[in-house]
C-alpha cells in the first residue's frame, strides 16, 4: 500500500489528525477522541498505521488484564512529500483533496454539534483570498507562512491554551 493510499483513508486521516499537537496518546484516549468510530475499526486502522511506521508504540502496560499501548505520531512518515505527490495520478489527487475537505467538514460538524459554539469567541473562520504573485513571490509567501506557523506548533498544552486546527490550501486559479 502506498503512503498516499494509507494516509488518505478518512479514518486513518482522522487518527493522524488526532495526534497533531497532542504528543503521546494511549489507545483508550484515542478511542475517546474518536468515539464515533467503532473500536474494532479504530484498532484495525491504528494497526495499519503502526505497520507503516506512521505511529509508534512508546509504552505498553497492563490494564485489567489487557495491554494498553501508548502511541506517538512519527510526523515525518505522516505526510506526503513532493516526490510521492508527483507520482500521484489526477484521480488520486482528486480523491486525496476530497478526503481532506471531508475531514474539514467533519471537524466543523463536530464543533457545531457541541451546542455551545460561538464562532467569534472560538476564533473560527474560513476565507478565500486571491493574490497575484510570481512563483518567487509565492515561495516567499509560503516561507513567511511557515515562519509564522512553525514556532506555534511547538507550544505545549497548558493553561489557557486550546488545541486549534489550522488548515490551508494553496493552488493557482483555474483561469
Amino acid at each position: 500500500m502506498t503512503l498516499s493510499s494509507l494516509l488518505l483513508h478518512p479514518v486513518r486521516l482522522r487518527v493522524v489528525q488526532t495526534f497533531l499537537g497532542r504528543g503521546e496518546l494511549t489507545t483508550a484516549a484515542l478511542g475517546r477522541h474518536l468515539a464515533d468510530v467503532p473500536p474494532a475499526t479504530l484498532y484495525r486502522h491504528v494497526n495499519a498505521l503502526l505497520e507503516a511506521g506512521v505511529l509508534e508504540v512508546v509504552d505498553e502496560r497492563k490494564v485489567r488484564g489487557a495491554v494498553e499501548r501508548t502511541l506517538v505520531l512519527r510526523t515525518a512518515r505522516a505526510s506526503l512529500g513532493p516526490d510521492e505527490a508527483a507520482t500521484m495520478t489526477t484521480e488520486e489527487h482528486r480523491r486525496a483533496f476530497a478526503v481532506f475537505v471531508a475531514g474539514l467538514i467533519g471537524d466543523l460538524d463536530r464543533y457545531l454539534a457541541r451546542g455551545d459554539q460561538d464562532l467569534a469567541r472560538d476564533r473560527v473562520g474560513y476565507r478565500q483570498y486571491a493574490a497575484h504573485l510570481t512563483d518567487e513571490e509565492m515561495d516567499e509567501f509560503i516561507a513567511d507562512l511557515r515562519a509564522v506557523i512553525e514556532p506555534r506548533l511547538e507550544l505545549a498544552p497548558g493553561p489557557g491554551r486550546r488545541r486549534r486546527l489550522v488548515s490551508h490550501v494553496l493552488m493557482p486559479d483555474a483561469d
Side-chain angles (χ1 to χ4, degrees):
M1 177 183 307
T2 65
L3 184 59
S4 62
S5 62
L6 176 81
L7 292 175
L8 297 175
H9 183 282
V11 173
R12 289 190 290 266
L13 182 61
R14 282 188 62 204
V15 168
V16 168
Q17 290 172 329
T18 300
F19 276 91
L20 295 175
R22 286 199 171 99
E24 299 177 355
L25 288 172
T26 64
T27 49
L30 181 61
R32 286 190 298 275
H33 286 291
L34 300 173
D36 60 315
V37 178
T41 300
L42 181 61
Y43 284 105
R44 185 173 64 253
H45 290 294
V46 164
N47 284 331
L49 293 166
L50 283 164
E51 288 174 18
V54 173
L55 294 178
E56 181 181 333
V57 177
V58 293
D59 190 30
E60 292 182 335
R61 66 185 185 104
K62 289 262 187 183
V63 177
R64 290 176 278 221
V67 175
E68 181 175 67
R69 300 180 291 184
T70 299
L71 308 169
V72 66
L73 177 68
R74 292 292 165 223
T75 309
R77 290 283 304 149
S79 62
L80 301 177
D83 292 340
E84 180 152 6
T87 67
M88 292 170 61
T89 66
T90 300
E91 190 52 40
E92 287 171 324
H93 280 289
R94 279 191 185 106
R95 192 172 71 246
F97 191 73
V99 169
F100 176 77
V101 171
L104 292 176
I105 292 168
D107 290 334
L108 183 65
D109 283 346
R110 284 183 290 280
Y111 165 74
L112 294 174
R114 290 185 351 201
D116 69 338
Q117 70 275 6
D118 178 333
L119 278 68
R121 174 197 68 210
D122 297 334
R123 278 55 165 203
V124 175
Y126 38 93
R127 290 170 184 75
Q128 186 173 51
Y129 303 97
H132 298 271
L133 305 171
T134 66
D135 288 347
E136 293 77 19
E137 290 166 334
M138 186 64 188
D139 291 343
E140 183 181 341
F141 176 68
I142 292 169
D144 290 348
L145 284 176
R146 283 190 183 128
V148 168
I149 293 170
E150 287 178 355
R152 287 157 177 86
L153 300 178
E154 303 300 321
L155 298 173
R161 287 201 176 129
R162 275 178 84 173
R163 183 173 178 262
R164 298 174 191 270
L165 303 176
V166 178
S167 305
H168 71 269
V169 176
L170 300 172
M171 71 177 96
D173 188 5
D175 293 338

